[in-house]
Amino acid sequence: EIYQCDWSSDVCSSDLISILNLLQEVFKLESEALGISNQYHAKTATSISNINRDQLIFLLILLFSMIIFIFFVSHWILKPLERLKKLVTQIDTGKFNNLTIIGNDEIAYLARELQEYFIKEDEISQKKSAKIFEVRNILRFVINKVNEPIAILDSKLKISYANEALADLINIQSHQIEGKTVNDFIIADELKKHLTGAFSGFFNDEEFNINIRLLDGREYFVTSKIGIIRNRESSISRTVLVFSSVKEK
């Protein structure tokens, strides 16, 4: 059976009131839910807005920091490095005595220390050069006073120094002899063999007799002796060739 209500009766009126009350409660719940939803929506929008604002602020701070960093890197690092590079260049060219160094940072301190060091090294080097020059002149003077022909040769058998006696024997001025090989003036395979052996370590200080022939065709029978000169590393850097007796054939 279909339920039918007589609206004039008290029962139907009571049911209608109950339904209306229920609808009011539903509308009220819907309104509260909508309010809560709007509230959360507003909070979410605010949070998103705050996030965007914070991101923008962070980005601006980052850009500003990068600009400051680049500026100070250029000022604190690149410029001192450029000064150090300039200092090294001036040191390479030997222009460090009158080098003006400004500043009190680490680069300036290092530059001053390097300047003092190289100035001292230069002074020591000049003193050594002067001493070597003096000793060489004394050596040249003494060797020139010796009657025997003497030549000082390097490892390529080039004549570093020839005294006047050797120049007279070869009949060429000494300054024209120096810088050329002994083979340019003296033809003697056995002599070349002895000199090469001396640089190779096969050396004895005993005299030996050989025949030599000069460029002009003159031939001599000579008694020769070879001495060696060692450097700081104990390597043979020079040989000294002495003709202690010269007899024309």
Side-chain angles (χ1 to χ4, degrees):
E1 292 184 10
I2 299 174
Y3 174 76
Q4 295 181 351
C5 179
D6 185 2
W7 296 104
S8 62
S9 65
D10 294 335
V11 174
C12 287
S13 298
S14 177
D15 292 339
L16 181 60
I17 292 172
S18 297
I19 292 172
L20 292 174
N21 290 333
L22 181 60
L23 288 174
Q24 288 178 354
E25 292 294 329
V26 170
F27 290 148
K28 184 178 179 181
L29 289 174
E30 287 181 353
S31 177
E32 291 178 356
L34 181 61
I36 293 172
S37 176
N38 291 334
Q39 185 178 3
Y40 278 105
H41 178 74
K43 288 183 178 180
T44 303
T46 303
S47 299
I48 293 174
S49 176
N50 291 335
I51 291 173
N52 291 334
R53 183 194 61 191
D54 294 341
Q55 288 179 341
L56 180 60
I57 293 173
F58 177 75
L59 181 61
L60 292 175
I61 293 174
L62 182 61
L63 290 174
F64 184 71
S65 300
M66 289 178 63
I67 294 172
I68 294 177
F69 178 76
I70 293 172
F71 173 78
F72 282 108
V73 163
S74 175
H75 184 72
W76 288 342
I77 299 177
L78 297 182
K79 286 187 177 179
L81 289 178
E82 289 178 0
R83 287 164 53 202
L84 184 60
K85 182 180 178 181
K86 183 178 179 181
L87 171 66
V88 172
T89 302
Q90 290 177 316
I91 288 174
D92 288 338
T93 57
K95 299 177 181 178
F96 48 82
N97 289 334
N98 299 323
L99 180 62
T100 302
I101 301 173
I102 57 175
N104 296 313
D105 56 4
E106 291 80 1
I107 299 298
Y109 174 78
L110 176 61
R112 291 188 184 93
E113 291 294 323
L114 287 174
Q115 186 181 40
E116 291 179 3
Y117 171 78
F118 282 108
I119 288 175
K120 290 179 180 178
E121 285 293 313
D122 185 59
E123 291 175 353
I124 294 173
S125 178
Q126 288 180 3
K127 290 180 180 178
K128 287 182 178 179
S129 298
K131 192 67 177 179
I132 292 172
F133 183 77
E134 180 183 358
V135 171
R136 185 178 64 179
N137 286 338
I138 293 173
L139 180 62
R140 284 176 177 266
F141 177 80
V142 172
I143 292 177
N144 266 330
K145 295 299 180 181
V146 177
N147 294 325
E148 288 83 3
I150 298 175
I152 300 176
L153 303 96
D154 63 13
S155 59
K156 295 181 180 180
L157 303 187
K158 286 185 177 182
I159 300 174
S160 302
Y161 175 72
N163 69 347
E164 293 298 330
L166 181 62
D168 292 339
L169 174 65
I170 300 175
N171 197 22
I172 298 176
Q173 293 183 2
S174 58
H175 69 273
Q176 294 178 334
I177 299 173
E178 294 173 0
K180 297 182 180 179
T181 65
V182 68
N183 298 326
D184 293 331
F185 308 102
I186 301 174
I187 302 172
D189 292 337
E190 188 176 354
L191 177 61
K192 181 180 178 181
K193 181 180 178 181
H194 279 282
L195 291 170
T196 304
F199 279 106
S200 301
F202 302 101
F203 166 77
N204 60 70
D205 56 357
E206 297 179 357
E207 292 183 343
F208 56 93
N209 298 318
I210 59 171
N211 293 315
I212 64 172
R213 182 161 57 90
L214 305 181
L215 294 179
D216 58 6
R218 289 178 295 154
E219 293 188 11
Y220 292 92
F221 181 79
V222 298
T223 300
S224 305
K225 190 172 183 179
I226 297 176
I228 60 173
I229 300 173
R230 297 182 181 273
N231 55 24
R232 289 184 177 181
E233 290 75 26
S234 297
S235 300
I236 299 174
S237 60
R238 295 284 190 277
T239 57
V240 181
L241 174 63
V242 180
F243 295 147
S244 57
S245 176
V246 180
K247 296 179 181 180
E248 189 170 1
K249 294 179 64 177

